[in-house]
Amino acid sequence: MKIKTFYKKYILLCLLGLCLSSIDLKAQGPPITADKPIMLSSNSFIAKTLTEYRSTDFGRFTKVPLMLHYIFHKNALIAVHLPWVTYDFDPGFGFDGSGFGDANILFKYQFYRNDKTGKTFRLVGKTLQNLPTGEREVNLHDMSTGLYKSYVALVAGYETIKYGISSEVGYNYSPQDDTDELKVKLGFGLPLLKQVYPVNQINLYFEYEYTRAPETGSDILLYAQGIQYARKKVTLETAIQLPLFQTALHHGNRKFSWYMGARYII
């Protein structure tokens, strides 16, 4: 019954995703906390990280992932994410320590592209498999749960030379517990410098993320303000993410998250 319900929700999300748009400017790097629909050229390899320091009402936690992305076709990408997680629980909420978190395997396929002068619109389907390699006792959302989860989503993309908007709609299926999630992301990118080649750009990002756990009735709306510097094959970025509202979360209330990242195209 749960599997049938999952696929019904997935079909609905696919229809919703067609109504959303995402922008990732050619003069910009990709969004910071969101995903992008724009593929690099075939046989490109990207090494990246996006460290998250998360402060909550029951402790402070850090996730440092090594992310390796390979574009093996002009429309397809496969990636592996290998995270190291440290946790500092407040007294009575858990234990302190560090270890390997939940690894992820990502696959993306760009199935629609419409290019016009100075702009382009694209649609990407993606799936992210969360592997139960983290500590189950730690139980940190999106860091270390020790549970298998399967995420499917649509990412839409529309880019111009002046501004950007990003969006994603997806469903995270958790067959071992009641932590299924509907995820919606929406972001805006603003380049501050004139376009040049090789790339030399500073970008501001304004990104929203809404997560709803339908089985528990909890939800959270997050806002991230970020800045990014892209120079040739290197991108550096940082963002502060704050909760706008949150209700009865199974993984505790957030205070803030601080992101720091770097990417290198090989």
Side-chain angles (χ1 to χ4, degrees), residues 23-266:
I23 289 180
D24 186 11
L25 306 182
K26 290 181 180 178
Q28 290 179 278
I32 298 174
T33 63
D35 204 347
K36 64 173 184 175
I38 310 301
M39 297 286 186
L40 297 178
S41 58
S42 181
N43 295 319
S44 297
F45 186 85
I46 305 171
K48 54 190 289 190
T49 186
L50 185 62
T51 295
E52 178 189 0
Y53 172 80
R54 182 188 302 172
S55 177
T56 74
D57 60 2
F58 62 99
R60 292 144 301 280
F61 315 99
T62 304
K63 176 183 177 182
V64 184
L66 172 62
M67 298 182 279
L68 305 173
H69 290 208
Y70 178 57
I71 299 92
F72 61 92
H73 183 272
K74 65 178 182 178
N75 294 324
L77 173 152
I78 191 169
V80 60
H81 299 171
L82 306 173
W84 186 259
V85 177
T86 61
Y87 32 95
D88 179 16
F89 285 95
D90 290 337
F93 288 95
F95 54 93
D96 300 342
S98 61
F100 197 65
D102 294 337
N104 303 138
I105 296 177
L106 171 68
F107 176 77
K108 293 168 57 176
Y109 182 75
Q110 179 181 271
F111 60 89
Y112 180 80
R113 175 174 178 172
N114 184 10
D115 295 334
K116 295 183 179 180
T117 303
K119 56 187 176 181
T120 182
F121 176 75
R122 307 184 191 189
L123 288 171
V124 166
K126 82 173 196 179
T127 177
L128 186 142
Q129 304 302 309
N130 188 83
L131 304 181
T133 54
E135 291 288 341
R136 182 69 182 92
E137 294 78 9
V138 176
N139 194 25
L140 291 176
H141 181 254
D142 286 341
M143 287 189 175
S144 180
T145 66
L147 297 173
Y148 169 76
K149 299 185 180 187
S150 180
Y151 178 69
V152 289
L154 279 176
V155 182
Y158 177 73
E159 70 171 32
T160 75
I161 61 174
K162 295 182 179 180
Y163 62 90
I165 306 171
S166 64
S167 68
E168 178 176 326
V169 178
Y171 194 83
N172 201 19
Y173 174 56
S174 183
Q176 297 175 275
D177 63 4
D178 61 354
T179 59
D180 284 16
E181 293 175 324
L182 168 68
K183 290 179 175 287
V184 180
K185 298 181 180 182
L186 177 65
F188 302 87
L190 179 66
L192 301 182
L193 302 179
K194 184 178 179 180
Q195 283 203 50
V196 296
Y197 185 82
V199 172
N200 182 36
Q201 187 58 265
I202 298 175
N203 309 295
L204 294 179
Y205 281 102
F206 314 85
E207 299 174 345
Y208 297 85
E209 178 179 344
Y210 175 73
T211 300
R212 170 76 177 180
E215 295 180 84
T216 62
S218 62
D219 57 0
I220 184 171
L221 176 63
L222 300 165
Y223 171 72
Q225 176 68 68
I227 187 170
Q228 178 187 82
Y229 176 62
R231 173 67 174 168
K232 296 183 178 179
K233 295 184 177 183
V234 176
T235 301
L236 302 175
E237 55 201 3
T238 186
I240 293 291
Q241 187 182 63
L242 302 171
L244 300 183
F245 74 80
Q246 51 192 326
T247 59
L249 300 176
H250 65 271
H251 45 76
N253 288 325
R254 306 276 186 100
K255 293 181 179 178
F256 71 91
S257 286
W258 178 26
Y259 290 90
M260 296 174 290
R263 314 166 194 239
Y264 180 73
I265 301 173
I266 300 176

